[in-house]
Amino acid sequence: NAGVTQTPKFRILKIGQSMTLQCTQDMNHNYMYWYRQDPGMGLKLIYYSVGAGITDKGEVPNGYNVSRSTTEDFPLRLELAAPSQTSVYFCASSYKPPGEQYFGPGTRLTVT
Amino acid sequence: GQQVMQIPQYQHVQEGEDFTTYCNSSTTLSNIQWYKQRPGGHPVFLIQLVKSGEVKKQKRLTFQFGEAKKNSSLHITATQTTDVGTYFCAGSYNTDKLIFGTGTRLQVFP
């Protein structure tokens, strides 16, 4: 099993550009999460999903959108990139809460 | 909103010394998890505590959950250079979500 995979690993965006961060898991987990981690800080929940077709906001959803059309995939969309969105983005999945969360390797995003 | 506070922010120790990080919540947690993140890496699950007063050990690591389920600690005995990283607690309040603490960065000098 590959676990949780994320692409791309790194990306530089100009202000106002848009992009999609991809996340895929092969563990048949229903629960998936998107976090952002700013330097020296903990993880903040952006969006999460409890199953295909169901998503909900976390602590910091503004400026982001998600969709969950399949169990495996949970992409995160940035529509109008802003410097405040410079961060490391982690996708995670779990079998059921509040169980162990499995994290992907992260996407390091810089907006200039 | 619900917050999980973690102290200290940083800890530098000599190899062989002990290390402890503390996690506190103002309201009762349903459970608490601990994760380790190596520099440049992603968080990796260490353990979950659910019961009041629970104590679990993993080799040199000892995890405790307070009697009131509002605090937790991670203690490492005789640190090694392989223990370097940031340790996060993450609490749940009877929801599907985890609230992560700000983490304690551990540096171990040989």
Side-chain angles (χ1 to χ4, degrees):
Chain A
N1 287 352
V4 180
T5 57
Q6 292 182 240
T7 57
K9 285 188 170 58
F10 304 93
R11 184 73 186 267
I12 298 175
L13 280 183
K14 293 191 188 310
I15 294 171
Q17 286 185 322
S18 60
M19 77 165 293
T20 299
L21 284 67
Q22 301 291 346
C23 175
T24 300
Q25 53 92 9
D26 63 0
M27 296 174 282
N28 203 33
H29 287 167
N30 282 324
Y31 293 81
M32 295 188 74
Y33 311 84
W34 273 107
Y35 295 92
R36 60 176 287 172
Q37 183 177 34
D38 298 327
M41 300 295 288
L43 292 95
K44 298 289 187 185
L45 183 66
I46 305 171
Y47 271 96
Y48 69 105
S49 169
V50 303
I54 306 169
T55 63
D56 205 351
K57 296 177 180 178
E59 297 174 74
V60 290
N62 291 343
Y64 307 95
N65 275 302
V66 293
S67 59
R68 183 97 182 270
S69 55
T70 66
T71 300
E72 294 78 19
D73 300 306
F74 190 38
L76 178 72
R77 179 88 178 156
L78 282 71
E79 290 295 347
L80 290 170
S84 60
Q85 293 177 306
T86 294
S87 191
V88 180
Y89 291 84
F90 288 104
C91 178
S93 72
S94 69
Y95 173 58
K96 62 175 181 177
E100 171 183 358
Q101 292 191 10
Y102 295 79
F103 283 80
T107 294
R108 188 175 297 273
L109 176 67
T110 302
V111 182
T112 61
Chain B
Q2 289 148 341
Q3 277 190 321
V4 175
M5 308 302 293
Q6 195 172 347
I7 56 170
Q9 194 173 3
Y10 303 99
Q11 185 87 56
H12 298 169
V13 300
Q14 202 76 31
E15 190 173 21
E17 291 181 336
D18 291 357
F19 159 78
T20 306
T21 174
Y22 301 90
C23 207
N24 289 287
S25 169
S26 57
T27 54
T28 302
L29 296 159
S30 56
N31 72 83
I32 195 152
Q33 299 179 15
W34 285 91
Y35 290 79
K36 177 182 178 181
Q37 184 177 24
R38 293 184 185 275
H42 59 276
V44 175
F45 175 83
L46 294 175
I47 209 159
Q48 176 172 278
L49 304 171
V50 178
K51 298 176 185 175
S52 168
E54 190 169 14
V55 178
K56 287 188 177 180
K57 293 190 176 186
Q58 288 179 351
K59 296 184 181 177
R60 294 178 295 103
L61 278 61
T62 301
F63 304 84
Q64 294 191 5
F65 201 9
E67 293 290 341
K69 299 182 75 173
K70 290 184 178 180
N71 58 75
S72 180
S73 64
L74 157 59
H75 179 82
I76 302 178
T77 303
T79 54
Q80 300 174 358
T81 54
T82 53
D83 295 325
V84 164
T86 300
Y87 293 84
F88 292 99
C89 61
S92 178
Y93 299 90
N94 287 318
T95 70
D96 298 339
K97 299 173 286 188
L98 287 176
I99 306 294
F100 278 80
T102 48
T104 296
R105 186 186 302 178
L106 173 64
Q107 182 65 262
V108 180
F109 296 105

